[in-house]
Amino acid sequence: MTIPVRPDLDALPLYQQLPTTARVQLSNNETAFPPLPRVAAALAEGLEHINRYPPVSPHAVATHLAEHLRVPAGSVAVGAGSATLLLQLMQAVVHGPSSIVYPWRSFEAYPILVRVAGAEPRPVPLTGDLTHDLDAMLAAVTPTTRMIIICNPNNPTGTALHREALAKFLAATPDHVVVVLDEAYHEFVTDPDIPDGLELVREAAGRGNLVSLRTFSKAYGLAGLRIGYCAGPVNLIQAVTKVGVPFSVSTLAETAALISLDSADELAERCRLVRTERDRVGAGLHALGHEFVPSQGNFLWLPLADRAAAFASHCMADGVMVRPFAGEGVRVTIGSPADNDAFLAVARTFATG
């Protein structure tokens, strides 16, 4: 007997995770740094208590974050990574015929999560310079549109929207549409004209439809623990919390997040080192004649088009794993100096053209 399942799942793509056996892993946008020493010590101590359930909801982290971010109590939700929170946001607003607008190419999970939430995906192609086409995104909004996702900086291109353009876009967005600023890579931004979504959320406290989505997986180096957060209007955050799965954020993840929030100087130095390496790898690629897109994330985008798969295979043959997008380009995470040197050595032996 075949169990009936949702027929729309037949069209649902699977998130493609590449093998992790390569000598140099530069495909997943992780940080090359281990956990902060205080985090590692607390996690080791916490192992003695993993026989116990965590809190049903990570209220302690959410409360601490609200104070840390200077937003009203109750306006922060914490979940098992920012992608999980994005799905919860969708589940909170999708009802009846619904559509969600997002940029493309962008984070691979967007079309998957939209389908899982039961909405119609409405991807909008990037502009020629690989940034969000905000006018086209507004034009894609219909009475059924529940959400627009803005990925800033954008994954995988590393491009980002500037303050004036985003402000104009937000002012033109209908009030019934939630705008989610996915800012997973904000800590790596150096351009002062790229806005901080949390500041916009604070400024738009009365607007009621703006959310900043962040993660501890990138700059904080907690990808394996799965914890992220979002800040926005209280009524929406309450709904996001209601649709969350109980006990989904582990005690270890909560502990690591709380300590990381109180380690601003150490984390700032780590982000500075990543940005320095990003510039060095970019300069190295330029010297080799490889085209790349200046990035505001912890990665670089090589617009190799139909040579993307060949470049990734060439790297893999020498034990360096990068992220290919067939027919479009290759995303290369900034790793340790040694890992970056290994990548540049492989790139040196791939013919430009």
Side-chain angles (χ1 to χ4, degrees), residues 65 69 71 75-79 81-82 85-86 89 110 147-153 166 170 178-187 195-204 208-215 228-233 236-237 240:
L65 273 165
L69 304 174
V71 296
S75 63
V76 175
V78 177
S82 58
L85 278 170
L86 181 57
L89 281 161
Y110 291 159
M147 179 183 293
I148 300 175
I149 304 171
I150 300 292
C151 190
N152 205 43
L166 186 56
L170 293 174
V178 174
V179 178
V180 176
L181 302 179
D182 185 346
E183 300 180 295
Y185 303 95
H186 180 77
E187 291 83 358
D196 181 336
L198 289 167
E199 289 183 3
L200 297 178
V201 167
R202 287 191 288 267
E203 294 169 2
N209 69 336
L210 184 63
V211 176
S212 172
L213 183 65
R214 300 283 180 96
T215 182
Y229 63 94
C230 62
L236 177 57
I237 295 303
V240 169

Side-chain angles (χ1 to χ4, degrees), residues 14 20 34 45 73 138 145 152 158 162-163 177 181 216 223 229 233 274 278 287 290-291 328 340 352:
L14 294 175
T20 57
E45 182 179 341
L138 284 173
T145 302
N152 205 43
H162 285 171
R163 193 177 312 276
V177 178
L181 302 179
F216 286 93
Y229 63 94
V274 171
R278 180 181 69 193
H290 288 290
E291 182 182 355
E328 298 179 70
N340 297 332
T352 59

Side-chain angles (χ1 to χ4, degrees), residues 31-332:
T31 179
F33 296 108
L36 294 170
R38 283 205 302 138
V39 171
L43 292 178
E45 182 179 341
L47 289 174
E48 299 178 9
H49 309 290
I50 59 173
N51 57 309
R52 304 298 184 185
Y53 280 105
V56 172
S57 177
H59 178 72
V61 181
T63 300
H64 188 81
L65 273 165
E67 297 172 356
H68 182 82
L69 304 174
R70 294 178 287 111
V71 296
S75 63
V76 175
V78 177
S82 58
T84 297
L85 278 170
L86 181 57
L87 177 58
Q88 290 176 226
L89 281 161
M90 294 177 184
Q91 291 170 324
V93 300
V94 167
H95 56 91
S98 300
S99 62
I100 294 177
V101 176
Y102 56 89
W104 198 253
R105 164 76 57 185
S106 195
F107 181 34
E108 292 167 89
Y110 291 159
I112 300 172
L113 299 178
V114 171
R115 289 287 189 189
V116 170
E120 173 196 355
R122 302 207 67 175
V124 176
L126 300 176
T127 64
D129 60 0
L130 301 180
T131 59
H132 290 49
D133 189 334
L134 295 179
D135 289 338
M137 294 181 80
L138 284 173
V141 173
T142 71
T144 69
T145 302
R146 311 297 180 200
M147 179 183 293
I148 300 175
I149 304 171
I150 300 292
C151 190
N152 205 43
N154 187 52
N155 172 21
T157 62
T159 53
L161 296 168
H162 285 171
R163 193 177 312 276
E164 183 178 352
L166 186 56
K168 181 180 177 181
F169 172 82
L170 293 174
T173 303
D175 290 341
H176 75 276
V177 178
V178 174
V179 178
V180 176
L181 302 179
D182 185 346
E183 300 180 295
Y185 303 95
H186 180 77
E187 291 83 358
F188 303 107
V189 168
T190 54
D191 185 343
D193 198 26
I194 295 170
D196 181 336
L198 289 167
E199 289 183 3
L200 297 178
V201 167
R202 287 191 288 267
E203 294 169 2
R207 179 176 169 84
N209 69 336
L210 184 63
V211 176
S212 172
L213 183 65
R214 300 283 180 96
T215 182
F216 286 93
S217 295
K218 310 302 181 184
Y220 291 87
L222 303 181
L225 288 178
R226 311 306 305 129
I227 183 166
Y229 63 94
C230 62
V234 173
N235 68 318
L236 177 57
I237 295 303
Q238 288 177 341
V240 169
T241 301
K242 286 180 179 179
V243 299
V245 177
F247 309 113
S248 61
V249 178
S250 73
T251 304
L252 295 180
E254 289 189 62
T255 298
L258 287 169
I259 295 174
S260 295
L261 287 172
D262 292 331
S263 306
D265 290 344
E266 294 172 272
L267 287 164
E269 175 60 14
R270 288 187 168 194
C271 289
R272 187 193 67 78
L273 292 172
V274 171
R275 294 191 295 264
T276 298
E277 280 295 290
R278 180 181 69 193
D279 293 343
R280 186 177 73 86
V281 173
L285 287 171
H286 178 75
L288 294 172
H290 288 290
E291 182 182 355
F292 69 95
V293 177
S295 174
Q296 292 294 316
N298 67 331
F299 53 88
L300 292 174
W301 174 254
L302 282 66
L304 287 160
D306 57 3
R307 303 177 74 217
F311 182 86
S313 295
H314 176 78
C315 290
M316 188 60 188
D318 276 353
V320 177
M321 176 70 72
V322 296
R323 187 79 172 193
F325 297 81
E328 298 179 70
V330 170
R331 188 191 69 197
V332 183

